[in-house]
Amino acid sequence: MRAKEWHQTGTDFHIVLGHLSGNPFLARAIADVMTRLSRPRWLEVWTEPSREQAWAEHRRVLAFIRRNEPDEAVREATDHVRDTRDRLLRSLNDDRRGLKARGFAVVGKG
């Protein structure tokens, strides 16, 4: 799957999980977050290893949902969000100059 398709699939995954909660406020909040995080998420799906890692995390969340293990699904989803954040921060730190040249402003400690 190409990065662009994976990006949309990942977005849809998170939005559908939000709807499965049955909580319209949460579902809307997740949709809003996914819109706001579109650009940084694009940076994460840029490489095949990052896509594979995120997809493996998605599969683990789904496995817990299918087995009706909500506490484990929540734990895995929380780990996924944290791990994605950590990958993004590492990527930004590793590629500050390249990102700046492409018009991204990277602020914070370097």
Side-chain angles (χ1 to χ4, degrees), residues 7-74:
H7 185 266
Q8 186 60 53
T9 300
T11 298
D12 294 345
F13 172 82
H14 289 267
I15 291 172
V16 167
L17 282 182
H19 286 289
L20 288 175
S21 74
N23 180 331
F25 175 78
L26 178 62
R28 180 66 186 154
I30 290 172
D32 289 346
V33 165
M34 297 311 292
T35 298
R36 287 182 176 89
L37 291 177
S38 183
R39 182 177 270 177
R41 283 185 61 250
W42 178 255
L43 295 173
E44 194 224 352
V45 302
W46 190 252
T47 67
E48 185 69 26
S50 289
R51 288 192 299 272
E52 289 174 8
Q53 177 66 34
W55 183 238
E57 293 167 2
H58 287 180
R59 285 193 310 265
R60 287 193 299 270
V61 170
L62 285 174
F64 286 123
I65 291 169
R66 287 183 179 128
R67 291 193 308 257
N68 195 27
E69 298 178 26
D71 293 337
E72 290 79 3
V74 167

Side-chain angles (χ1 to χ4, degrees), residues 91-104 106:
S91 176
L92 288 170
N93 193 44
D94 292 346
D95 194 26
R96 290 173 88 79
R97 268 189 288 169
L99 289 169
K100 187 174 180 182
R102 291 186 305 226
F104 290 97
V106 180

